[in-house]
Amino acid sequence: MCGRTACSLGAARLRRACAYRDRRGRRQQPEWLREERYRPSYNKGPQSCGPVLLSRKHVQQDADSSERVLMDMRWGLVPSWFREDDPSKMQFKTSNCRSDTMLSKSSYKGPLLKGKRCVLLADGFYEWQQCGGGKQPYFIYFPQSKKHPAEEEEDSDEEWRGWRLLTMAGIFDCWEPPAGGEPLYTYTIITVDASKDVSFIHHRMPAILDGDEAIEKWLDFAEVPTQEAVKLIRPTENIAFHPVSTFVNSIRNDTPECLVPIELGAPKEVKATASSKVMLGWLKSSQEGSPQKKEDTLPRWKSQFIHSPSPKKSSAGVLRQWLGQEGGPAAKKHKA
């Protein structure tokens, strides 16, 4: 399942991180719709709003279906046929949609067959492992490239080399209040059986679209029929993760501490060491439009702490920048 996410990039950098190639091979950045509503967060939960990619053709009928736009939507799908005057009166949860029932349940089948496919954007998502004494949270994300520039300019037209966003398949719908008023756009995240590497944490995971080709096929509903698009919905092994503090358990905690790796077995409370203050200050700057700092100004974190299914998929280089701490603890490898 997927019950919490983080998306800390500011609106301009998020747009750059979503750049793509159009049908003619030209590099494009998706246009923001209702950009003023977007708010970065380190701890997003259902009923909050999050950034979503969708085809421009959904909002402009004469547009090319391969063109993309960004929109801030509420998490938890409200079907267009819902007739109550308040979406909170829904009697069932729709933040996640199981892949094996999405074509049978009316809440999801209707919009899916109409091509209302979208991609949810996040730095990563949180999942909780059931342990004997409670639950241990983990932060799960794409393995990151080690080649990053010292700084990422907010308005630069150059190719994005910052944090690679996790791209999750979703379904959206538009609900209109019976008495009239502003339409409400909402979404659900499709879930699948967990891949082998993360199944020890939880038996379900989001359907992750790995690469722009998969994103293009999922979004382009005019060219890719539903029967073909659903073939993209499957588990991925291309994933990395690390344990984090139970500080993230409370949705009220929306600070960089939510993402900081911890050493399992050590006290889990967040402590502001000299090196972590540097790291936390850098993380906070992502909301101010400056997520990248020079690598040599950041403290270091031992690379083996970050778990990745394969050494080739290690995110150590970027995490030295993003979550570095000099002399940090080494992670215990998970035993299958």
Side-chain angles (χ1 to χ4, degrees):
M1 61 180 295
C2 179
R4 298 281 183 84
T5 65
C7 192
S8 60
L9 288 178
R13 282 188 168 83
L14 188 68
R15 183 170 178 255
R16 284 191 56 215
C18 294
Y20 66 100
R21 299 284 178 180
D22 64 16
R23 293 193 198 278
R24 298 181 181 180
R26 297 173 301 185
R27 188 170 172 276
Q28 305 281 0
Q29 292 183 8
E31 178 187 358
W32 262 108
L33 304 180
R34 309 190 302 182
E35 177 182 350
E36 71 282 355
R37 301 189 181 193
Y38 170 66
R39 296 291 182 273
S41 173
Y42 296 99
N43 196 357
K44 286 181 179 289
Q47 306 309 312
S48 67
C49 291
V52 172
L53 274 177
L54 64 155
S55 169
R56 180 184 288 276
K57 198 171 182 66
H58 287 297
V59 294
Q60 183 183 332
Q61 291 187 351
D62 62 346
D64 185 328
S65 60
S66 68
E67 292 184 22
R68 305 174 192 178
V69 293
L70 273 166
M71 184 185 291
D72 203 42
M73 293 189 188
R74 200 177 84 167
W75 187 1
L77 189 142
V78 179
S80 58
W81 47 259
F82 186 68
R83 293 296 173 231
E84 296 286 350
D85 58 356
D86 183 356
S88 65
K89 294 180 180 179
M90 287 184 58
Q91 299 298 310
F92 47 94
K93 296 181 179 179
T94 57
S95 55
N96 288 171
C97 164
R98 290 180 62 97
S99 60
D100 52 350
T101 60
M102 64 185 178
L103 283 171
S104 59
K105 291 190 175 181
S106 58
S107 297
Y108 312 124
K109 179 180 179 180
L112 183 56
L113 292 180
K114 292 178 181 177
K116 294 183 178 179
R117 309 192 299 251
C118 61
V119 174
L120 301 317
L121 304 167
D123 299 338
F125 71 97
Y126 300 99
E127 192 55 84
W128 280 258
Q129 177 193 22
Q130 187 69 50
C131 303
K135 292 184 177 182
Q136 172 59 52
Y138 284 79
F139 187 57
I140 305 172
Y141 48 94
F142 270 139
Q144 302 295 310
S145 169
K146 295 181 180 180
K147 296 181 180 180
H148 284 253
E151 302 237 354
E152 281 287 350
E153 297 298 332
E154 184 168 342
D155 299 321
S156 173
D157 289 328
E158 294 183 4
E159 183 178 355
W160 175 256
R161 293 185 177 87
W163 187 264
R164 184 189 175 192
L165 294 174
L166 196 67
T167 44
M168 298 171 281
I171 303 169
F172 77 94
D173 210 344
C174 180
W175 174 81
E176 297 184 7
E182 184 179 13
L184 175 66
Y185 283 86
T186 60
Y187 68 88
T188 184
I189 296 176
I190 300 172
T191 65
V192 295
D193 290 335
S195 61
K196 180 180 178 181
D197 288 294
V198 296
S199 61
F200 81 98
I201 302 175
H202 197 278
H203 67 282
R204 304 289 293 178
M205 70 182 297
I208 296 170
L209 300 170
D210 189 1
D212 199 65
E213 182 179 353
I215 294 172
E216 179 182 359
K217 288 180 178 179
W218 183 251
L219 293 180
D220 196 348
F221 67 98
E223 295 293 327
V224 183
T226 304
Q227 293 82 352
E228 288 298 314
V230 296
K231 295 177 182 179
L232 298 166
I233 304 304
R234 55 181 181 267
T236 181
E237 299 289 346
N238 187 29
I239 211 74
F241 52 88
H242 61 253
V244 295
S245 168
T246 51
F247 181 79
V248 74
N249 289 6
S250 173
I251 197 68
R252 296 181 180 180
N253 295 331
D254 186 9
T255 62
E257 287 92 333
C258 293
L259 305 173
V260 178
I262 65 165
E263 180 181 11
L264 294 180
K268 298 178 182 179
E269 57 270 24
V270 176
K271 295 182 179 180
T273 63
S275 56
S276 67
K277 287 180 181 179
V278 176
M279 180 271 294
L280 295 177
W282 178 75
L283 278 173
K284 289 174 183 176
S285 72
S286 66
Q287 289 187 331
E288 300 167 2
S290 301
Q292 300 288 337
K293 295 293 182 182
K294 291 183 178 179
E295 185 174 0
D296 59 8
T297 67
L298 291 171
R300 303 280 177 166
W301 190 275
K302 287 188 178 179
S303 61
Q304 64 266 36
F305 183 80
I306 305 304
H307 180 102
S308 184
S310 165
K312 295 181 180 180
K313 300 177 183 177
S314 173
S315 302
V318 128
L319 284 161
R320 287 194 185 99
Q321 298 178 14
W322 197 59
L323 293 170
Q325 179 176 341
E326 186 174 2
K332 297 179 180 179
K333 293 184 179 179
H334 168 66
K335 295 182 180 180

